[in-house]
Amino acid sequence: MTFPFKLVATDLDGTLLRGDETVSERTREALAAATSAGAAHIVVTGRSVPWTRHILDDLGYDGLAVCGQGAQVYHAGEHKLLTSLTLDRQLAGLALSKVEAEVGPLALAASRDGLEGEVLVGPGYQVHEGRLPYVFVEDASEMWAAPLNKVYLQHPELDDDALATAARAAVGNLVDVVMAGPGVVEILPLGLSKATGLSLAARRLGVKAVDTIAFGDMPNDIPMFGWARHGVAMANAHDTLKAVAHEITASNEHDGIAVVLEELLRTGSAAATPH
């Protein structure tokens, strides 16, 4: 059995994970078949390590993972953080003041750096219900007391796309702004993206962009698609990602990753997709 890629990079939410945060048996089997055929599987997620570890452990995943929108390269088997990039808190504070000057008051949350970094949630920030732990803080200034890898923004009226666009226009020369999922707009260190972290992890694995197929669903996956040889958007993906994808597969609820991997394993070839 031949497989045309040496690296399979998958986003988590809306891509590898179904809505109930599980991975289907079919997708598990397809990934196992791809790795048996010589490819490495790497998770590339916007979630920081503490919000990712339990999923990797459940998958029996012991390789590298790129977390925190590329800020962290994590060795799942060793439970070790290999690289970690933090957000300059003074710069982030300046950026937030500039955004609020344009759009009005924001609700904030922040992800602290490190293996055990907590997500702190300030007044008014709407949290998605689920398994992910967070700590509510009455005083938003508490968020700035320790190193951070990202800050989350919400606006009482603007939707995700409008908020991300307005924030990027206001502070695009100071920090990066990404829309990573429903209700998830983030401020990151300037120049950081999933492609940054993926390229670092790929170098450690001895593989290159031309060896990589990537799966995703949100605008924060666009840099990863730009880096990889072949980018596959899920049927449920944001329109801006579909616009730059080489291929669109079934949704995360309908084994979209498995659909593509099974075909690649069957044919042993992929369409030429030069950038």
Side-chain angles (χ1 to χ4, degrees):
M1 183 186 294
T2 59
F3 189 73
F5 296 98
K6 295 179 183 176
L7 187 62
V8 178
T10 65
D11 172 48
L12 277 184
D13 296 281
T15 303
L16 180 63
L17 298 180
R18 295 178 290 192
D20 62 0
E21 290 207 351
T22 63
V23 180
S24 74
E25 194 59 37
R26 180 183 176 187
T27 295
R28 288 173 187 256
E29 289 175 0
L31 285 166
T35 55
S36 294
H41 171 222
I42 189 165
V43 165
V44 186
T45 178
R47 298 183 186 215
S48 56
V49 169
W51 276 9
T52 308
R53 188 189 300 120
H54 66 284
I55 294 167
L56 303 181
D57 290 346
D58 178 62
L59 286 170
Y61 183 102
D62 59 7
L64 301 183
V66 176
C67 302
Q69 304 293 10
Q72 301 170 318
V73 177
Y74 171 65
H75 194 303
E78 298 178 1
H79 292 92
K80 183 186 296 182
L81 202 53
L82 302 180
T83 65
S84 186
L85 180 66
T86 56
L87 177 64
D88 184 307
R89 283 169 280 169
Q90 187 172 355
L91 198 60
L94 174 61
L96 288 170
S97 67
K98 286 179 173 289
V99 175
E100 290 189 323
E102 295 296 324
V103 303
L106 298 166
L108 304 176
S111 175
R112 283 190 168 164
D113 186 44
L115 284 174
E116 307 299 332
E118 299 168 320
V119 173
L120 306 180
V121 173
Y125 192 91
Q126 300 298 310
V127 180
H128 295 291
E129 292 305 317
R131 294 175 58 188
L132 301 178
Y134 62 90
V135 177
F136 179 75
V137 292
E138 284 283 358
D139 184 353
S141 66
E142 292 181 42
M143 295 182 191
W144 309 98
L148 305 174
N149 53 48
K150 66 171 78 173
V151 175
Y152 301 90
L153 317 179
Q154 286 180 353
H155 190 275
E157 295 168 3
L158 297 177
D159 65 21
D160 303 329
D161 289 312
L163 176 57
T165 299
R168 202 172 290 121
V171 297
N173 60 335
L174 296 175
V175 293
D176 272 346
V177 180
V178 298
M179 201 271 271
V184 184
V185 176
E186 302 173 357
I187 282 182
L188 306 170
L190 190 64
L192 177 69
S193 73
K194 286 189 173 185
T196 317
L198 181 55
S199 64
L200 286 174
R203 194 174 305 137
R204 285 178 176 268
L205 296 172
V207 296
K208 299 176 181 177
V210 72
D211 303 319
T212 304
I213 181 170
F215 294 83
D217 73 312
M218 280 290 162
N220 61 323
D221 294 314
I222 291 173
M224 180 167 70
F225 279 23
W227 184 84
R229 172 180 158 200
H230 193 76
V232 183
M234 314 305 286
N236 50 287
H238 194 279
D239 287 343
T240 58
L241 187 69
K242 287 181 176 178
V244 300
H246 299 107
E247 181 179 353
I248 298 172
T249 186
S251 74
N252 62 319
E253 299 290 347
H254 295 94
D255 300 305
I257 291 174
V259 169
V260 173
L261 295 183
E262 289 164 358
E263 179 67 12
L264 291 172
L265 288 160
R266 186 181 67 80
T267 63
S269 64
T273 55
H275 281 284

